């Protein structure tokens, strides 16, 4: 992956698995992806002690437009997809 100046964030996720699902989808479509962040990134609910992470999906600056488009418009499942068949 290039220097930090050439990398942009195209998605932010509270859960690490969400970030890796998005990253996997982008990689499957030919983009180079980095997931960064921390599981203790942001506190919400001052008295409850709940925290959520801040995980970022990042791509090369030149791939940002394609990545945003892919994440906003994922491919639908095939018309003949039947989850009951194995």
């Amino acid at each position: 992956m290039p220097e930090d100046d050439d990398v942009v964030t195209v998605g932010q996720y509270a859960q690490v698995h969400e970030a890796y699902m998005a990253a996997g989808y982008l990689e499957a479509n030919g983009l180079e992806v980095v997931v960064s962040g921390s599981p203790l990134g942001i506190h919400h609910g001052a008295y409850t002690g709940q925290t959520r992470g801040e995980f970022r999906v990042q791509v090369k600056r030149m791939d940002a437009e394609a990545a945003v488009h892919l994440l906003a418009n994922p491919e639908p499942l095939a018309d003949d997809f039947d989850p009951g068949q194995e």
Side-chain angles (χ1 to χ4, degrees):
M1 193 56 102
E3 298 295 320
D4 288 344
D5 292 344
D6 294 332
V7 177
V8 296
T9 299
V10 293
Q12 288 186 278
Y13 301 89
Q15 302 292 325
V16 69
H17 69 275
E18 296 170 323
Y20 278 102
M21 286 175 53
Y25 180 67
L26 295 176
E27 287 175 343
N29 281 282
L31 301 180
E32 192 174 347
V33 181
V34 170
V35 175
S36 64
S38 167
L40 301 176
I42 299 173
H43 285 278
H44 64 91
Y47 297 105
T48 63
Q50 295 176 328
T51 60
R52 68 180 175 98
E54 182 179 297
F55 299 95
R56 293 174 301 283
V57 174
Q58 300 174 314
V59 299
K60 295 177 186 176
R61 185 175 303 280
M62 66 184 200
D63 294 334
E65 186 175 339
V68 169
H69 177 77
L70 286 167
L71 292 174
N73 302 292
E75 292 287 321
L77 294 173
D79 290 337
D80 61 350
F81 177 75
D82 181 0
Q85 292 180 351
E86 304 216 61

